[in-house]
């Protein structure tokens, strides 16, 4: 008999007061008892709508059935068939707009907490399983993966499971891509990312850090000299965007990428790190996406009063609802319908204020969202000592400029087929933010997965 | 991890290290840089490639001990390993078609000015090298410049080496005497490059300046190295590090360079104390 409770079991969390001052994980995870109770809310529908909402098509009702029976390891194994990063996805996937949005239980009440269950199964496995994954027999074919973010790791994992000899090339000194430089510790502990990467290494994936493809080695060299028969480009998003308003190069103005990299990758919040970061007292984050929320919550943890400045209203915020709620609970203030016009500095070149303007929502634009228009005579100043621009990124030019014949979109994204990730060059596939522009971890994973299947198909028929 | 093959102090505060880095050596060109981390908790710092040996697979870096990281780096010896070493990054110096060039280096910037001087000289260009130091104790690469330039002009602030005066004095003299350069290339402290560019602008001589701003990833991800060139924001790591010197906003670059001054001073003192205690 299923558990017919209308609401999900709530996620135990650190108290907002305490967590707003530390970098430890906010969501604490279900207990085994709660996990079983939540799993029992699943009706195990015949037509499985949830699976259609998952970019990597995890057999959701099957793993939940095992969880309901307390077979957590069996549940994990089902998830691992489809996902290379279960502990990561259980934490950062926007389940509310994917699997859970299709859940029948969500029609009258709340959907099953699929993400929370996935997280529990993965954490349980990581804590209890001592068995290393079996390294598949090699099929003798070499594939190179560029970038060790979500798309690259997924592609590498899927290919390794099929017996390919996979090398992942990472430009930074640490593997994980946005999972280590972008998403903060309190949302995704780095030890969890490392564990997922270790699992890939056990599958036989070779990870080479400190290699910048396009600079250290070109794609042509990978194929002609190093003998890779196929290449997957998962190089991620690139150059941070700025507003092109006066004062953006003052001291105390960061791109969200820089601010988050200093904190997450370089651990600038820890006393033993050699990397500096400004501890602002009054910080504004410009933008309304998940990256803006991450930057705001990091600044808060460094001791600042934080204001998020967004030019539309709360209803248009692109960030996940849950992240916005967490940010508010931690004391972050939102100024909606506000747009900065200029950042003002003091005599030493430090930020001292932002001159802003009130906005109103006008007619819908091409994207269907109502366009913000300035309100005449509404200018005002906010005193600040630090501004973080979280406005998205434009694609990195390094691979494009060094790979002859690789077609890109007008805005710089790599042209790749939807279904396969195939680029304009044979044997070269691409996926994730390098193709779509800034998106989510799970969409990048889906692209990595599709490309792995396509590469397998290509090399089998070659 | 990259092994240090050779370490050589060039003066009391400047050290040369030849590092085993075959992949970087294979591709490195004058004007490009590498990023390194000394140890597990180290920061990422950019250093320009001072030389490379493709056959041996080594890259030479020359650094001045100015802060905690360079202090720690200087405590490594031959046979030790640098934790991370990645490159070559940035664009190479454009040297094609240049027939007559003045290369103006200042202080440790001469370490970066040398490889381009050498490359230009070896490709048959007439190269006038002007090197400036505060005093003779700080001079580096004197023989190298002398043997790889058509003319080599030595300048020092106190007159203890070559002529007394600034590099701009020497450059001005050359231009005034009728020397016509396809290009001036300048590498050194920001304030020096600013005045070199101001001078050459007066005479309408195209000038390239090599910038060395604060960086983290060095691959076009963080935007920390941005500067204003011709009114537009540019990223030194992927668009540079060399730019048209007449278009660079040097004052802004100088201000940005001082962002972490207090932190750095403190970290440097701590690092020095740590090494003192260890002794």
């Amino acid at each position: 008999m299923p558990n017919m409770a209308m609401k999900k079991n709530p996620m135990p969390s650190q108290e907002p007061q305490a967590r707003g001052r530390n970098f430890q994980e906010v969501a604490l995870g279900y207990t085994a008892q709660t996990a079983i109770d939540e799993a029992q809310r699943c009706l195990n529908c015949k037509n499985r709508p949830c699976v259609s909402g998952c970019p990597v098509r995890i057999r959701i009702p099957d793993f939940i059935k095992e969880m309901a029976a307390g077979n957590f390891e069996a549940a994990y194994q089902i998830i691992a068939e489809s996902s290379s990063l279960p502990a990561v996805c259980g934490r950062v996937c926007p389940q509310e707009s994917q699997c859970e949005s299709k859940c029948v239980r969500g029609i009258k009440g709340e959907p099953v907490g699929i993400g929370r269950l996935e997280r529990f199964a993965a954490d349980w496995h990581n804590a209890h399983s001592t068995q290393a994954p079996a390294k598949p027999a090699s099929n003798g074919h070499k594939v190179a993966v560029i970038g060790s973010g979500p798309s690259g790791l997924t592609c590498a994992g899927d290919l390794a499971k099929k017996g390919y000899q996979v090398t992942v090339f990472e430009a930074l000194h640490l593997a994980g891509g946005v999972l280590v430089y972008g998403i903060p510790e309190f949302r995704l502990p780095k030890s969890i990312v490392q564990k997922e990467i270790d699992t890939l290494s056990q599958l036989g994936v070779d990870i080479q850090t400190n290699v910048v493809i396009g600079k250290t080695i070109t794609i042509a060299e990978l194929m002609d000299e190093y003998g890779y028969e196929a290449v997957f480009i998962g190089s991620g998003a690139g150059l941070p965007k700025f507003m092109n308003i006066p004062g953006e190069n003052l001291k105390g103005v960061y791109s969200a990428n820089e601010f988050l990299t200093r904190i997450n990758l370089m651990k600038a919040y820890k006393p033993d790190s050699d990397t500096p970061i400004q501890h602002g007292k009054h910080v504004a984050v410009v933008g309304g996406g998940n990256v803006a929320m991450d930057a705001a919550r990091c600044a808060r943890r460094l001791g600042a009063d934080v204001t998020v400045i967004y030019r539309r209203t709360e209803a248009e915020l692109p960030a996940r609802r849950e992240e916005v709620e967490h940010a508010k609970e931690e004391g972050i203030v939102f100024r909606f319908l506000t747009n900065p016009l200029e950042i003002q500095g003091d005599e030493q070149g430090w930020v001292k204020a932002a001159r802003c303007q009130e906005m109103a929502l006008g007619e819908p634009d091409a994207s269907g969202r109502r366009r913000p228009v300035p309100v005449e005579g509404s200018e005002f100043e906010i005193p600040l000592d630090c501004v973080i621009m979280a406005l998205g990124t434009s694609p990195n030019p390094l691979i494009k400029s060094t790979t002859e014949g690789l077609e890109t979109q007008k805005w710089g994204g790599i042209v790749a087929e939807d279904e396969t990730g195939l680029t304009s060059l044979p044997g070269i596939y691409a996926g994730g933010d390098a193709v779509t522009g800034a998106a989510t971890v799970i969409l990048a994973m889906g692209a990595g997965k599709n490309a792995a299947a396509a590469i397998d198909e290509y090399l089998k028929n070659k | 991890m990259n092994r240090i093959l050779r370490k050589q102090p060039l003066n009391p505060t400047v050290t040369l290290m030849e590092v085993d880095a075959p992949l970087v050596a294979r591709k490195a060109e004058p004007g490009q840089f590498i990023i390194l981390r000394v140890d597990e908790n180290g920061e990422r710092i950019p250093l320009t490639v001072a030389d490379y040996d493709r056959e041996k697979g080594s890259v030479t870096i020359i650094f001045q001990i100015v802060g905690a990281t360079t202090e720690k780096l200087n405590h490594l010896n031959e046979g030790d390993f640098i934790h991370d070493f990645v490159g070559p990054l940035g664009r190479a110096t454009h040297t094609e078609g240049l027939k007559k060039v003045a290369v103006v280096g200042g202080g440790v910037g001469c370490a970066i000015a040398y490889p381009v001087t050498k490359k230009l000289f070896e490709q048959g260009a007439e190269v006038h090298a002007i090197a400036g130091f505060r005093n003779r104790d700080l001079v580096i690469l004197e023989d190298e410049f002398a043997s790889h330039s058509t003319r080599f002009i030595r300048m020092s602030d106190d007159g203890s080496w070559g002529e007394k005066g600034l590099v701009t004095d020497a450059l001005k003299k050359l231009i005034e005497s009728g020397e016509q350069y396809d290009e001036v290339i300048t590498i050194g402290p920001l304030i020096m490059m600013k005045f070199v560019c101001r001078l050459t602008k007066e005479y309408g001589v195209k000038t390239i300046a090599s910038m060395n701003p604060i960086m983290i990833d060095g691959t076009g991800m963080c935007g920390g190295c941005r500067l204003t060139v011709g009114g537009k924001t540019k990223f030194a790591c992927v668009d540079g590090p060399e730019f048209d010197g007449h278009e660079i906003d040097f004052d802004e670059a100088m201000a940005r360079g001082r962002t972490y001054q207090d932190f750095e001073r403190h970290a440097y003192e701590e690092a020095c104390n740590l090494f003192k205690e260890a002794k």
Side-chain angles (χ1 to χ4, degrees), chain B residues 157-227:
Chain B
D157 292 0
D158 63 357
S160 58
W161 184 71
E163 261 183 73
K164 181 176 173 166
L166 302 172
V167 289
T168 38
D169 300 334
L171 181 62
K172 186 170 179 164
K173 214 188 255 177
L174 287 170
I175 297 174
E176 297 256 293
S177 73
E179 301 283 3
Q180 289 193 338
Y181 300 110
D182 298 338
E183 203 170 284
V184 170
I185 297 174
T186 181
I187 305 156
L190 288 169
I191 188 78
M192 180 201 93
M193 293 197 286
K194 175 182 168 175
F195 282 100
V196 167
C197 293
R198 184 177 286 181
L199 176 75
T200 55
K201 195 169 186 177
E202 268 174 48
Y203 292 95
V205 185
K206 184 182 174 190
T207 302
I208 299 295
S210 176
M211 305 299 280
N212 186 21
I214 294 169
M215 264 182 208
I216 309 179
D217 65 297
T219 63
M221 190 266 280
C222 81
C225 66
R226 67 191 186 276
L227 51 151

Side-chain angles (χ1 to χ4, degrees), chain A residues 221 248 254-255 274 396, chain B residues 27 72 219 221-222 226 260:
Chain A
E221 288 165 344
E248 274 182 308
Y254 290 92
S255 74
D274 289 345
N396 191 301
Chain B
K27 289 290 174 63
K72 282 184 190 174
T219 63
M221 190 266 280
C222 81
R226 67 191 186 276
Y260 300 106

Side-chain angles (χ1 to χ4, degrees), chain B residues 24-36:
Chain B
V24 187
R26 203 182 142 190
K27 289 290 174 63
E29 292 287 344
Q32 291 190 295
F33 63 95
I34 57 96
I35 283 192
L36 63 77

